Amino acid sequence: LIAAPAISTANSGVEQLTKNPNNWAIWGGNYAGTRYSELSDINVDNVKNLQPAWSFSTGVLRGHEGGPLVIDDILYIHTPFPNTVYAIDQKTQAVIWEYTPTQDADVTIPVMCCDTVNRGLGYGDGKIFLQQSDTVLTALDAKTGKRVWSVQNGDPKLGMTNTSSPFVVKDTVLTGISGGEFGVRGFMAAYDIRTGKLRWKGYSMGPDSDTLIDPNKTTTWENGKVTPVGPDSSIKTWKGDQWKIGGGTTWGWYSYDPQLNLIYYGSGNPSTWNPVQRPGDNKWSMSLWARDADTGAVKWVYQMTPHDEWDFDGINEVPLVDQEVNGKMHKTIVHFDRNGFGYTLDRETGELLVAEKFDKSVNWATHVDMKTGRPQVVSKYSTEQNGEDTNTVGACPAALGSKNQQPVSYSPQTGLFYISGNHLCMNYEPFAVDYKAGQPYVGATLTMMPAGADVITGQPDGSTNLGQFTAWDAKTGKIAWSNKEQFSVWSGSVATAGGVVFYGTLEGYLKAVDAKSGKELYKFKTPSGIIGNVNTWKYNGKQYVGVLSGIGGWAGIGIAAGIDDGTDKSNTEGLGAVGAYRSLSSYTKLGGTFTVFALPN
Amino acid sequence: LIAAPAISTANSGVEQLTKNPNNWAIWGGNYAGTRYSELSDINVDNVKNLQPAWSFSTGVLRGHEGGPLVIDDILYIHTPFPNTVYAIDQKTQAVIWEYTPTQDADVTIPVMCCDTVNRGLGYGDGKIFLQQSDTVLTALDAKTGKRVWSVQNGDPKLGMTNTSSPFVVKDTVLTGISGGEFGVRGFMAAYDIRTGKLRWKGYSMGPDSDTLIDPNKTTTWENGKVTPVGPDSSIKTWKGDQWKIGGGTTWGWYSYDPQLNLIYYGSGNPSTWNPVQRPGDNKWSMSLWARDADTGAVKWVYQMTPHDEWDFDGINEVPLVDQEVNGKMHKTIVHFDRNGFGYTLDRETGELLVAEKFDKSVNWATHVDMKTGRPQVVSKYSTEQNGEDTNTVGACPAALGSKNQQPVSYSPQTGLFYISGNHLCMNYEPFAVDYKAGQPYVGATLTMMPAGADVITGQPDGSTNLGQFTAWDAKTGKIAWSNKEQFSVWSGSVATAGGVVFYGTLEGYLKAVDAKSGKELYKFKTPSGIIGNVNTWKYNGKQYVGVLSGIGGWAGIGIAAGIDDGTDKSNTEGLGAVGAYRSLSSYTKLGGTFTVFALPN
Ligand SMILES: O=C(O)c1cc(C(=O)O)c2c(n1)C(=O)C(=O)c1cc(C(=O)O)[nH]c1-2
Ligand SMILES: O=C(O)c1cc(C(=O)O)c2c(n1)C(=O)C(=O)c1cc(C(=O)O)[nH]c1-2
């Protein structure tokens, strides 16, 4: 699963660290981003005896995304703005060092679209990498917490922020940018881990020199085959200069294949949310990217949602798994898009292998045409066709997607992916909006509601659950099993060699289910709603499972930002999320806590 | 232990509720304030298997004092400022209702001396009583959370605040006042539980008509006997009008004896902390009070620290226990004073029975003269004798006392009291200060340090622990056993029929120890430092133990108020507490969480 020798990554040491399952050295547990752990001390038989071992309040309210890094004896955790980092001694649970950057809250917080979240730290070369909200990327000495270098990755005054987890590959650290709701043009940037010097930067849109696309060598899936994109593949899909404020931000999770030396990630929605204002495919927003790790040169790119009309931001994570599809082994990349389709592509070539709905309530497109790679849009749910100032009713999924930032896990034991999912639909009314630097550039009013349909059949069933936890076969594009959850599952899962999958719920439960059947084996109510990722590691001979709780993120924005006045008037607040998640406040309140679980001695 | 029929308390129903150990209906578990529970499902043998059952983040940072009330199926918890109340369904752990009063943070928070704490709710007559920080006392419908009435108990613009737990007796609810560091004249007030109308108000100082002292009937301990206090017992111990700004606030915990129909409590330090400025005994600051519950008339009063020179605020709780002292059964009142002496008095008469140091590092007085009831002050540690602008060095205990607000527990099984203690000394330099309404009226600069002496022998031992957990025989005035704690134990304990005593530590551990020996049987690190009280109850056939964590209070003020700049310069901040507790920030961070423990199923 995790590939080949680490010749080229000697500098950072990350790959080596991830090969020891006692560590959790990168957001996905490994470069492939599978969130699979070889540990099996906690297993389907004994997980019912799990119990909290210790806990640690972070001192920060609002949404806590991401998870801990564990490098040998030390645990590293992070908080949302103000982005405090704690290095914690596992033995004593005492804070070895802490670091809180200086940031201007008044400039930064107002331009964070979806809560003041941070998706966690990066590690490499003896350094902890902190991606501050205000776009400053900071390297800290992992032993002392002393700042080694900082670099400005963007400008919050222009609506740029950062929420993603820095990703160390060889001697660079990769980071993206947020601000799709502020007309920010997305990019991926690689900085030297030793100095913070920019090594390369590849935009999501613009001239080929900006995107690092080679018209002849960079390919995409078209006419049933891998095809060179040709010149100006991005700018020719935009009206005039709109690509300059075109979105396609890169705030998700990244993967790396050391053998192919390619990094993978998705780009976000085109700006604005009003599709009528921006004719064209708006390439390469909403796309999967394969870039050379050394130069940023684009190997291939694939657009999931050309000319987005629903904010189906394409940034979701891209686990790398080798599997047999249609009788042939492929090095695949798997991607569960906000738009409700689960994609399997060949990660070497970008060949499209599978594209099926992982939630059958999805209705905005009938299917993906496997030849063109394009979704077949249903006119009734086309906010473009219905036009400005018309409310498109009942489009599924809602803008926050059949899945959002919460990363999936994969178990080689079952060959299944475990998807933390949303199960909502929406009403969406686009309106004309002018771009002003640093101001919201949204152009749509939304409300959201339960999908009310079965996830497997798509049949209306009057259900009110907003979440599903689904096991998926990416070789065939089929659901193996799916559990309902009252609220969206906004927490990243982890699958283990013990046959267990762990995830958190918005009410605050850490849950363990049987990887084969989905049967619930254990749950515990942590202090606050969980939007963090569950990670697992071993210390001193004992397996631990840990998760940050702390309600927030887009789903929890009503509570996190205190913008729910409790009446229908505020339903459209928080980009449409407040109404749908109102009842969440009966279950959980703000507060960041890290809870560590173990079996009794 | 808990006395007699409830004839006179029919209105509130409190006494009845406290007789069912499944409830925890009042701060002390019962009117006697013994914090003893008849429950024994969790016991010395099985407590090692205890584990967190669920947890709930309160959404509020800073110090969380007090504990939950449990009335049948519903749990009531509270937060520091802004004083949110949550009614939680034990079955689902969902919030049934919540209430947050409107308060002016800018007026109130700056005049709270020792963090924005609140010591919990009162219950009676189907109402929850919330004592807001801004002195407003509010009655809420316990079922719906709807406000029934509110009454203004003081004026924050004059430095008055409230932190204490309202105490329901018969058809009144009692509340005190805070502000001893702002020249507030303390009082106890009784409001009608149905209407909020003031029924009586008794000041700590002033003319007899204000104190509700009857010169002939009110007694005190003098010349070895219970003696009427005579006319003007308070104002004749003050220079001029100083009693009007004389302190003696009443922010502690109150007890009630239904048979004697007396309520008991302590009054705080005289204002200012500079003793040179206020000649006289400054009566009745620093005193224990016994008042008629219906009229407020004072039955007896006893001053522990006449003319305070160290801020040995006398408000600590007053558990009521019947025990044999010197061969004779007494209805006793027991009181562990800030000044380091453990007092046992006859609660009917005010006769002084025992007064011994419960921490032998105490050096400000050699002993209490049992005839006069007065402590024999050691000149070297007299900040008055050393004078203004002279640093009195090494006085023990420190101003925050050998014990502070953290209430003790008592087990009738062992006949011992369990004292959460501090183990610090101080340097104290008084200086001249002018009174300005609503401004600090402190007049002393302090630093604190470890006592560095054995708690039982008083011998210097180079120890650095700031806390002790001590078992005390109040019949003889002797320590049974004492455990060291790295930091002050700022959490109230509970003793149970299972032979276990529970308390929390500033690092955040909930601990269970053997009531007989002090042997540690269980510990768990809750999210944040514990300054709350551990309570226990039974729901659906299962015994639970619950505690609020959330570092703060005076000991945690450096973290809570963010006033520790990490250098010696800030050692004197937080009224002298910042330096001594600096290292606490390596162990714990802010954040309010309620954690519930139980045995596994
Ligand atoms: O377009 C962007 O730049 C951008 C940024 C972010 C972010 O950085 O958190 C989110 C989104 N978009 C977004 O569309 C979205 O659904 C979302 C959810 C969350 C979250 O953390 O819960 N962030 C974001
Ligand atoms: O004189 C007063 O009115 C007053 C009030 C309070 C309070 O209300 O919290 C404290 C004190 N004094 C005080 O002396 C003190 O040590 C103290 C500790 C605490 C605490 O909650 O940790 N409060 C207070």
Side-chain angles (χ1 to χ4, degrees):
Chain A
L1 177 64
I2 307 161
I7 358 158
S8 55
T9 62
N11 287 322
S12 71
V14 175
E15 196 178 8
Q16 209 52 42
L17 282 169
T18 62
K19 284 189 170 139
N20 179 352
N22 294 353
N23 294 323
W24 192 276
I26 192 167
W27 74 268
N30 50 51
Y31 268 143
T34 58
R35 302 188 54 73
Y36 175 71
S37 166
E38 299 284 352
L39 300 178
S40 59
D41 303 2
I42 300 171
N43 59 46
V44 277
D45 296 322
N46 62 23
V47 69
K48 63 173 184 295
N49 301 323
L50 207 64
Q51 48 176 265
W54 55 275
S55 51
F56 177 81
S57 181
T58 67
V60 179
L61 304 174
R62 302 194 67 160
H64 282 59
E65 291 183 350
L69 293 187
V70 187
I71 320 278
D72 303 328
D73 294 357
I74 304 183
L75 257 159
Y76 299 93
I77 61 173
H78 64 283
T79 74
F81 192 95
N83 306 135
T84 298
V85 182
Y86 297 111
I88 298 179
D89 183 342
Q90 290 205 67
K91 191 168 165 193
T92 59
Q93 292 121 41
V95 175
I96 301 169
W97 57 258
E98 62 183 281
Y99 178 85
T100 304
T102 306
Q103 298 184 84
D104 188 334
D106 297 332
V107 172
T108 302
I109 293 179
V111 291
M112 299 192 79
C113 73
C114 310
D115 200 6
T116 57
V117 294
N118 181 289
R119 290 191 198 82
L121 305 166
Y123 177 88
D125 191 34
K127 299 188 190 76
I128 286 290
F129 298 96
L130 167 67
Q131 181 53 78
Q132 301 174 198
S133 306
D134 66 358
T135 81
V136 172
L137 176 66
T138 293
L140 303 170
D141 184 306
K143 288 259 177 302
T144 64
K146 292 255 168 343
R147 195 167 61 104
V148 184
W149 54 256
S150 286
V151 63
Q152 188 87 27
N153 184 51
D155 184 351
K157 294 217 175 69
L158 304 179
M160 299 183 197
T161 55
N162 268 111
T163 58
S164 56
S165 177
F167 192 75
V168 176
V169 171
K170 298 163 101 177
D171 57 356
T172 64
V173 50
L174 300 171
T175 193
I177 197 80
S178 296
E181 281 59 59
F182 297 83
V184 168
R185 179 166 65 127
F187 60 81
M188 181 60 59
Y191 296 95
D192 187 307
I193 47 173
R194 281 159 309 219
T195 61
K197 216 181 134 227
L198 183 68
R199 295 277 282 275
W200 57 260
K201 186 170 186 173
Y203 283 91
S204 301
M205 49 201 56
D208 295 339
S209 55
D210 280 11
T211 56
L212 309 185
I213 281 176
D214 182 322
N216 304 314
K217 292 197 193 142
T218 301
T219 59
T220 192
W221 184 252
E222 238 176 62
N223 300 319
K225 62 175 195 293
V226 168
T227 314
V229 293
D232 298 330
S233 60
S234 168
I235 53 172
K236 74 185 183 193
T237 66
W238 289 92
K239 185 173 132 194
D241 273 0
Q242 283 187 342
W243 57 267
K244 292 185 175 166
I245 53 166
T249 51
T250 50
W251 53 278
W253 312 93
Y254 324 138
S255 307
Y256 173 59
D257 182 326
Q259 279 187 308
L260 301 176
N261 197 34
L262 293 175
I263 58 135
Y264 299 91
Y265 66 94
S267 56
N269 59 290
S271 311
T272 124
W273 289 15
N274 174 2
V276 180
Q277 262 178 272
R278 44 167 173 73
D281 270 359
N282 310 134
K283 278 179 174 139
W284 293 97
S285 70
M286 302 301 209
S287 301
L288 292 184
W289 297 77
R291 287 186 188 266
D292 182 276
D294 297 321
T295 62
V298 182
K299 178 85 197 295
W300 60 259
V301 58
Y302 168 72
Q303 191 178 43
M304 283 82 64
T305 312
H307 188 65
D308 170 63
E309 315 171 37
W310 311 269
D311 183 39
F312 292 155
D313 201 316
I315 61 85
N316 288 353
E317 74 289 355
V318 278
L320 311 179
V321 169
D322 297 351
Q323 45 188 354
E324 193 181 299
V325 184
N326 296 327
K328 196 177 158 232
M329 272 305 287
H330 288 270
K331 292 177 193 264
T332 70
I333 177 174
V334 176
H335 171 76
F336 300 92
D337 199 70
R338 283 255 280 263
N339 72 15
F341 287 89
Y343 297 86
T344 310
L345 291 89
D346 185 296
R347 73 173 174 272
E348 226 174 327
T349 63
E351 178 187 352
L352 182 64
L353 302 171
V354 177
E356 295 291 341
K357 294 176 184 176
F358 59 91
D359 180 337
K360 292 291 193 297
S361 69
V362 167
N363 66 12
W364 68 279
T366 54
H367 66 287
V368 172
D369 182 312
M370 294 303 287
K371 214 171 147 211
T372 61
R374 296 177 76 97
Q376 302 305 298
V377 173
V378 174
S379 297
K380 185 177 168 192
Y381 302 115
S382 166
T383 72
E384 160 97 31
Q385 294 175 41
N386 293 335
E388 279 179 0
D389 305 319
T390 301
N391 199 8
T392 292
V393 173
C396 310
L400 37 67
S402 294
K403 198 190 85 60
N404 197 282
Q405 60 83 31
Q406 53 273 41
V408 299
S409 58
Y410 169 78
S411 169
Q413 292 185 336
T414 60
L416 298 175
F417 284 84
Y418 300 95
I419 313 166
S420 303
N422 310 319
H423 195 56
L424 295 93
C425 301
M426 68 177 164
N427 302 336
Y428 190 113
E429 184 169 327
F431 60 83
V433 61
D434 284 335
Y435 174 80
K436 279 200 207 76
Q439 296 299 314
Y441 186 51
V442 176
T445 307
L446 279 69
T447 52
M448 304 181 188
M449 65 283 306
D454 187 79
V455 77
I456 296 178
T457 65
Q459 291 308 307
D461 61 0
S463 57
T464 57
N465 59 303
L466 304 180
Q468 296 278 160
F469 191 73
T470 300
W472 175 260
D473 184 337
K475 303 180 285 298
T476 58
K478 293 215 156 53
I479 294 173
W481 51 258
S482 185
N483 294 346
K484 283 192 199 331
E485 284 285 354
Q486 182 173 359
F487 296 100
S488 292
V489 187
W490 213 260
S491 147
S493 61
V494 66
T496 76
V500 183
V501 184
F502 296 94
Y503 66 96
T505 75
L506 285 185
E507 303 103 301
Y509 288 103
L510 172 92
K511 290 193 173 180
V513 299
D514 186 323
K516 289 208 188 89
S517 64
K519 190 176 166 231
E520 192 172 299
L521 303 172
Y522 173 77
K523 69 171 177 176
F524 176 83
K525 195 159 194 221
T526 68
S528 180
I530 301 180
I531 64 171
N533 303 338
V534 189
N535 294 351
T536 183
W537 66 93
K538 202 162 180 166
Y539 170 70
N540 212 356
K542 204 176 173 83
Q543 185 181 354
Y544 292 92
V545 172
V547 71
L548 283 165
S549 56
I551 192 68
W554 191 3
I557 192 69
I559 304 178
I563 53 177
D564 183 0
D565 73 2
T567 74
D568 285 354
K569 267 185 295 172
S570 61
N571 283 355
T572 59
E573 292 296 313
L575 301 170
V578 162
Y581 294 90
R582 173 158 299 135
S583 66
L584 188 53
S585 83
S586 300
Y587 295 90
T588 196
K589 303 292 158 189
L590 294 180
T593 302
F594 181 57
T595 309
V596 176
F597 297 81
L599 293 172
N601 283 324
Chain B
L1 179 63
I2 307 161
I7 0 158
S8 54
T9 63
N11 287 322
S12 71
V14 175
E15 198 180 7
Q16 207 52 40
L17 282 168
T18 61
K19 284 189 172 141
N20 178 353
N22 295 353
N23 295 321
W24 192 277
I26 192 167
W27 74 267
N30 50 51
Y31 268 143
T34 58
R35 303 188 53 73
Y36 176 72
S37 166
E38 298 284 351
L39 300 177
S40 59
D41 302 3
I42 301 170
N43 58 46
V44 276
D45 296 323
N46 62 23
V47 68
K48 64 174 184 292
N49 301 323
L50 207 65
Q51 47 176 265
W54 56 275
S55 51
F56 177 82
S57 181
T58 68
V60 179
L61 304 173
R62 302 195 66 162
H64 283 57
E65 291 183 350
L69 293 187
V70 186
I71 320 276
D72 303 329
D73 295 357
I74 305 183
L75 256 160
Y76 298 94
I77 61 174
H78 64 282
T79 75
F81 192 94
N83 307 135
T84 297
V85 183
Y86 297 112
I88 298 180
D89 183 342
Q90 290 206 65
K91 190 169 166 191
T92 59
Q93 291 120 43
V95 175
I96 301 169
W97 57 258
E98 62 184 279
Y99 178 85
T100 304
T102 307
Q103 297 184 84
D104 189 334
D106 296 332
V107 171
T108 302
I109 293 178
V111 290
M112 299 191 78
C113 72
C114 310
D115 200 7
T116 57
V117 295
N118 180 289
R119 290 191 197 83
L121 305 166
Y123 177 88
D125 191 34
K127 300 189 190 74
I128 286 289
F129 297 96
L130 168 66
Q131 181 53 77
Q132 302 173 198
S133 306
D134 67 358
T135 80
V136 172
L137 176 66
T138 292
L140 302 169
D141 184 307
K143 289 258 174 303
T144 64
K146 294 255 168 340
R147 194 167 62 103
V148 184
W149 54 256
S150 285
V151 64
Q152 187 87 28
N153 184 52
D155 184 353
K157 294 214 176 72
L158 304 179
M160 299 182 196
T161 55
N162 268 112
T163 58
S164 57
S165 178
F167 191 76
V168 176
V169 171
K170 298 164 103 180
D171 57 356
T172 65
V173 50
L174 300 172
T175 192
I177 196 80
S178 294
E181 279 62 57
F182 297 83
V184 168
R185 178 166 64 128
F187 59 81
M188 181 60 59
Y191 295 95
D192 187 307
I193 47 175
R194 282 160 307 218
T195 61
K197 218 182 132 224
L198 183 69
R199 295 276 284 275
W200 56 260
K201 187 170 185 174
Y203 283 91
S204 301
M205 49 202 55
D208 294 340
S209 55
D210 280 10
T211 55
L212 310 184
I213 282 177
D214 181 323
N216 303 315
K217 291 196 194 145
T218 302
T219 60
T220 192
W221 183 253
E222 238 177 62
N223 301 320
K225 63 174 194 292
V226 168
T227 312
V229 292
D232 298 330
S233 60
S234 169
I235 52 172
K236 74 184 184 196
T237 65
W238 289 92
K239 185 173 132 196
D241 272 359
Q242 283 187 343
W243 56 268
K244 291 186 176 165
I245 53 167
T249 52
T250 49
W251 53 277
W253 313 93
Y254 323 139
S255 307
Y256 174 57
D257 182 327
Q259 279 187 308
L260 301 177
N261 197 35
L262 293 175
I263 59 138
Y264 300 92
Y265 66 94
S267 55
N269 60 289
S271 311
T272 124
W273 288 15
N274 174 2
V276 180
Q277 262 178 272
R278 43 165 173 72
D281 271 359
N282 310 135
K283 279 179 176 142
W284 293 97
S285 71
M286 302 301 211
S287 301
L288 292 184
W289 296 77
R291 285 186 190 267
D292 181 276
D294 298 320
T295 62
V298 182
K299 178 86 197 294
W300 60 260
V301 58
Y302 168 72
Q303 192 177 41
M304 283 82 64
T305 313
H307 188 66
D308 170 63
E309 315 170 37
W310 312 268
D311 184 39
F312 291 155
D313 201 316
I315 62 84
N316 289 353
E317 74 289 355
V318 277
L320 312 179
V321 169
D322 297 350
Q323 46 188 352
E324 193 181 300
V325 185
N326 296 328
K328 195 176 158 233
M329 272 305 285
H330 288 269
K331 292 177 192 263
T332 70
I333 178 173
V334 176
H335 171 78
F336 300 92
D337 200 71
R338 284 253 282 264
N339 73 15
F341 286 89
Y343 296 86
T344 309
L345 291 87
D346 185 297
R347 71 172 175 274
E348 225 173 327
T349 63
E351 178 187 351
L352 181 64
L353 303 172
V354 177
E356 294 291 340
K357 294 176 183 175
F358 58 91
D359 181 337
K360 293 292 194 295
S361 70
V362 168
N363 66 12
W364 69 278
T366 54
H367 66 287
V368 172
D369 181 311
M370 294 304 286
K371 211 169 150 215
T372 62
R374 296 177 76 97
Q376 301 307 299
V377 173
V378 174
S379 296
K380 185 175 170 195
Y381 302 117
S382 166
T383 72
E384 159 98 32
Q385 294 175 40
N386 292 336
E388 280 179 2
D389 306 319
T390 301
N391 200 9
T392 293
V393 173
C396 310
L400 38 67
S402 295
K403 199 190 82 63
N404 198 281
Q405 60 84 31
Q406 53 274 38
V408 299
S409 59
Y410 170 79
S411 169
Q413 292 185 337
T414 59
L416 298 175
F417 285 84
Y418 300 96
I419 313 166
S420 302
N422 310 320
H423 194 57
L424 295 93
C425 301
M426 66 177 166
N427 302 337
Y428 190 112
E429 182 169 328
F431 59 83
V433 62
D434 284 332
Y435 174 80
K436 279 200 207 78
Q439 296 298 315
Y441 186 51
V442 175
T445 307
L446 279 71
T447 52
M448 304 182 189
M449 64 285 304
D454 187 80
V455 75
I456 296 179
T457 65
Q459 289 310 307
D461 62 0
S463 56
T464 57
N465 60 303
L466 304 180
Q468 295 278 160
F469 190 72
T470 300
W472 175 260
D473 185 336
K475 302 181 284 299
T476 58
K478 293 213 157 55
I479 294 173
W481 52 258
S482 185
N483 294 345
K484 282 191 199 334
E485 284 286 351
Q486 184 173 358
F487 297 100
S488 291
V489 188
W490 212 260
S491 148
S493 61
V494 65
T496 76
V500 184
V501 183
F502 296 93
Y503 65 96
T505 74
L506 284 184
E507 304 102 300
Y509 288 102
L510 173 91
K511 291 193 173 178
V513 298
D514 186 322
K516 288 209 190 88
S517 64
K519 192 177 166 229
E520 191 173 298
L521 303 172
Y522 174 77
K523 69 171 177 174
F524 176 83
K525 194 160 196 220
T526 69
S528 180
I530 301 181
I531 63 170
N533 302 339
V534 188
N535 295 350
T536 185
W537 66 95
K538 201 161 182 169
Y539 170 70
N540 213 355
K542 205 177 171 81
Q543 184 183 354
Y544 292 92
V545 172
V547 71
L548 282 165
S549 57
I551 191 68
W554 191 4
I557 192 69
I559 304 177
I563 52 176
D564 183 0
D565 74 1
T567 74
D568 285 354
K569 268 186 294 173
S570 60
N571 283 356
T572 58
E573 292 297 312
L575 301 170
V578 162
Y581 294 90
R582 175 159 296 134
S583 66
L584 188 53
S585 84
S586 300
Y587 295 90
T588 196
K589 302 293 159 187
L590 294 181
T593 301
F594 182 58
T595 308
V596 176
F597 297 81
L599 293 172
N601 282 323

